[in-house]
Amino acid sequence: MKPLVYKKRKRIRHAPPVRQKLHISRGDTVQVISGDDKGKRGKVLQVFPKSGRVKVEGININTKHMRATQTTEAGIIKREGAIHHSKVMLIDPKSGEPTRIRRRRDADGTTERVAVKSGQPIVRSR
């Protein structure tokens, strides 16, 4: 009788990132609902669907000390860092308050975002 041999399973070192479907797009006005910048509002500058993060104007400011090179000057640079998309809510176009969104499909097949509080459509600004 043959001895039992267990095959070693191949380990996946770097799994490909899963793209998250975000409720926010570039140009939207959002309000931060948790964290150090809670209550602040800003415009979305960049969206990272692979990591599920967004960069908002004036939120999560990081300072970076730059060394002088042949082309650039030395100094301290302040710039926005990315925060998770679940920490921000879209602003309702009618009332100006943060709201959740729903997706509504029109007769022609296009989907639009609708504010839950007022029922107003939220247009994508590009």
Side-chain angles (χ1 to χ4, degrees):
M1 200 158 122
K2 282 174 127 181
L4 285 174
V5 177
Y6 294 103
K7 286 191 176 176
K8 221 174 173 185
R9 198 163 181 186
K10 191 172 182 182
R11 192 172 99 192
I12 302 170
R13 288 192 184 268
H14 297 288
V18 179
R19 244 177 102 95
Q20 294 185 16
K21 191 167 187 179
L22 304 178
H23 60 284
I24 295 167
S25 63
R26 195 175 84 216
D28 289 339
T29 305
V30 294
Q31 181 171 337
V32 180
I33 57 172
S34 68
D36 293 339
D37 296 317
K38 182 177 178 178
K40 289 185 183 177
R41 292 183 180 197
K43 192 175 176 183
V44 176
L45 301 173
Q46 217 172 349
V47 178
F48 306 101
K50 286 183 179 176
S51 60
R53 298 172 85 79
V54 292
K55 198 179 276 192
V56 183
E57 189 176 32
I59 307 295
N60 191 20
I61 300 292
N62 300 326
T63 57
K64 185 175 182 180
H65 296 260
M66 294 294 287
R67 181 183 291 162
T69 63
Q70 290 181 344
T71 56
T72 60
E73 222 174 88
I76 298 171
I77 297 173
K78 292 183 182 270
R79 59 184 177 188
E80 291 90 0
I83 59 173
H84 199 262
H85 72 96
S86 64
K87 291 189 172 196
V88 294
M89 283 181 91
L90 274 167
I91 299 297
D92 191 343
K94 188 176 182 183
S95 64
E97 294 178 4
T99 181
R100 291 165 299 157
I101 65 154
R102 290 196 176 105
R103 295 186 190 273
R104 181 169 60 197
R105 189 170 292 251
D106 291 339
D108 59 340
T110 58
T111 58
E112 65 177 352
R113 301 178 299 168
V114 178
V116 171
K117 285 189 178 179
S118 66
Q120 292 265 329
I122 302 170
V123 293
R124 291 193 185 268
S125 54
R126 293 237 165 174

